[in-house]
Amino acid sequence: MSDIGDWFKSIPFITRYWFAGSIAVPLIGKLGLISPMYLVLWPEHFFSKFQIWRPVTSTLYFPVGPGTGFLYLVNLYFLYQYSTRLETGAFDGRPADYIFMLLFNWICIVITGLMMDMQLLMIPLIMSVLYVWAQLNRDMIVSFWFGTRFKACYLPWVILGFNYIIGGSVVNELIGNLVGHLYFFLMFKYPIDLGGRSFLSTPEFLYRLLPNRRGGVSGFGVPPSRRPAPQDQAGGGGGGGGRHNWGQGFRLGDD
């Protein structure tokens, strides 16, 4: 048991609690401690009865059974693998920025779930994180089942097809990919590659709660560097209009 405890403690802070919640909430529903009907997202109960916990529990809950257990375990593995890689790679030392990404993706998925009457939101959120990792590491060669190898940018779409084959829903994976793409486009693609304004910025209160730290080991992709805003190039403005430089992070082996 000490080995399991040591392994659990080695999981990055944010991923650790997300991973633990994604085990605890399905277990609570499976054991009947709380009826699963109180854990899923039902718009009428959320809006009319003010059961405000449902957007959170529906992101952590999954109905584990003989027909869904393998799908649950596969997505739990994806959560552990790719959330860990993002938290210790592109977002290494910047927990506030990682929390903001999760919050942005979660809010978009909850809104979509309420509009489309979706009861379970675990897979979309996991897929949105996996999509962001794949874009930040798009040229990395990854291995999948049966020895198949391809660039990481194709991984979300391969998993979409894989989850569909083993019993998932294309809608869940597709929504996750689209939300992940929206975050990546607004945070990186549009302001960097297209030279547009930055629409997303981590709120200051998150930096106060979770201050940045330096150091650590990384190596699973780094966020692109932001282009300086026109007013920054001209030397004007003390705050830079809300922009900030993401830098290149700290990769394993750097001085």
Side-chain angles (χ1 to χ4, degrees):
M1 292 298 292
S2 61
D3 291 340
I4 297 177
D6 292 341
W7 167 79
F8 182 74
K9 292 178 182 178
S10 71
I11 302 174
F13 176 77
I14 298 170
T15 302
R16 185 192 316 161
Y17 284 97
W18 184 14
F19 184 80
S22 297
I23 294 176
V25 175
L27 185 61
I28 288 172
K30 183 69 174 178
L31 296 177
L33 300 178
I34 298 177
S35 172
M37 296 299 100
Y38 287 98
L39 301 175
V40 298
L41 182 64
W42 279 347
E44 60 272 19
H45 289 264
F46 175 70
F47 289 114
S48 302
K49 299 185 179 181
F50 302 104
Q51 295 178 354
I52 58 176
W53 66 84
R54 289 184 179 270
V56 176
T57 56
S58 63
T59 307
L60 301 173
Y61 176 70
F62 196 87
V64 181
T68 61
F70 182 65
L71 178 63
Y72 167 71
L73 291 177
V74 167
N75 282 278
L76 197 65
Y77 170 79
F78 290 154
L79 186 164
Y80 165 74
Q81 278 288 333
Y82 295 101
S83 180
T84 296
R85 292 182 179 192
L86 268 186
E87 191 174 350
T88 61
F91 292 91
D92 182 39
R94 299 187 291 115
D97 293 326
Y98 189 55
I99 283 286
F100 176 70
M101 185 204 73
L102 290 177
L103 286 174
F104 175 84
N105 289 2
W106 174 71
I107 290 171
C108 292
I109 289 169
V110 168
I111 293 173
T112 304
L114 291 171
M115 294 175 59
M116 298 181 61
D117 196 21
M118 297 170 58
Q119 281 77 51
L120 301 173
L121 306 180
M122 174 185 280
I123 292 178
L125 185 59
I126 294 172
M127 288 300 297
S128 71
V129 169
L130 188 150
Y131 185 94
V132 173
W133 178 87
Q135 291 303 310
L136 291 174
N137 299 269
R138 59 182 300 107
D139 293 324
M140 178 186 293
I141 301 299
V142 297
S143 297
F144 201 61
W145 283 24
F146 310 113
T148 55
R149 294 169 62 84
F150 45 83
K151 288 187 176 182
C153 58
Y154 301 117
L155 182 62
W157 307 105
V158 172
I159 292 177
L160 183 150
F162 173 76
N163 278 1
Y164 177 71
I165 292 173
I166 65 175
S169 168
V170 170
V171 174
N172 286 327
E173 285 77 9
L174 183 60
I175 289 174
N177 288 352
L178 293 177
V179 169
H181 180 76
L182 178 63
Y183 171 84
F184 183 80
F185 180 82
L186 294 178
M187 181 61 80
F188 301 120
K189 188 75 174 177
Y190 183 68
I192 296 172
D193 291 349
L194 303 179
R197 59 168 295 186
S198 176
F199 289 100
L200 297 181
S201 181
T202 304
E204 282 298 323
F205 78 89
L206 286 179
Y207 287 122
R208 290 194 293 269
L209 290 174
L210 299 167
N212 288 352
R213 52 181 169 74
R214 301 187 60 160
V217 294
S218 59
F220 289 103
V222 292
S225 296
R226 291 186 180 276
R227 292 175 178 173
Q231 59 266 33
D232 294 338
Q233 294 176 338
R243 291 177 177 267
H244 54 280
N245 184 8
W246 287 82
Q248 290 296 327
F250 297 90
R251 296 177 64 89
L252 185 62
D254 287 351
D255 293 331

